[in-house]
Amino acid sequence: MGFVTKRIHAFLDYPVAIALMALPFLLGLGDSNPLALTLSVATGVAALILTILTDHHLGLIRVISYKIHLIVDFMVAVVFIIAPFALGFEGIDAYYYWVIAATVLLVVSMHKAEPEVA
């Protein structure tokens, strides 16, 4: 029932990585805890590297399977759900992480399985 293909996901990856690096500054994250800003920027850098290394048509080096990429995306969403509680994020800091987590979970859950190419 999913509609997010590997190709669509690949087109989403680069803008999402950049947004994770830029939005914390634009939204002024870090009032409740400076880690609210740092965690997002670090995750954005990691997401950019993951995208570059993923085996999809926009991956530049293609050494990480798309399945592993989806697992990492899911794990990031779980961390983003837990982080506000564990690190004491409040207000916009917490809402930012919960919205990002919900969005990532939605995209991963709407993944359209595609036949494996040998």
Side-chain angles (χ1 to χ4, degrees):
M1 291 238 326
F3 64 89
V4 179
T5 64
K6 185 176 181 179
R7 184 173 185 82
I8 291 170
H9 191 115
F11 280 113
L12 294 172
D13 279 340
Y14 286 102
V16 167
I18 292 166
L20 286 168
M21 291 183 270
L23 280 175
F25 296 101
L26 296 172
L27 296 173
L29 295 189
D31 283 344
S32 65
N33 184 333
L35 286 176
L37 185 139
T38 307
L39 178 60
S40 183
V41 172
T43 303
V45 170
L48 182 61
I49 293 167
L50 178 65
T51 300
I52 289 168
L53 297 176
T54 297
D55 184 18
H56 56 43
H57 74 287
L58 294 179
L60 301 177
I61 301 175
R62 301 181 186 184
V63 294
I64 297 174
S65 75
Y66 181 63
K67 182 178 181 179
I68 296 297
H69 181 112
L70 289 173
I71 291 168
V72 171
D73 283 352
F74 177 81
M75 292 180 351
V76 167
V78 170
V79 168
F80 274 29
I81 291 168
I82 296 168
F85 299 108
L87 300 173
F89 298 170
E90 297 174 353
I92 185 96
D93 292 349
Y95 298 130
Y96 170 84
Y97 280 89
W98 291 327
V99 167
I100 299 289
T103 304
V104 171
L105 287 175
L106 180 63
V107 169
V108 170
S109 70
M110 297 306 294
H111 165 69
K112 180 178 181 177
E114 297 174 11
E116 291 291 322
V117 177

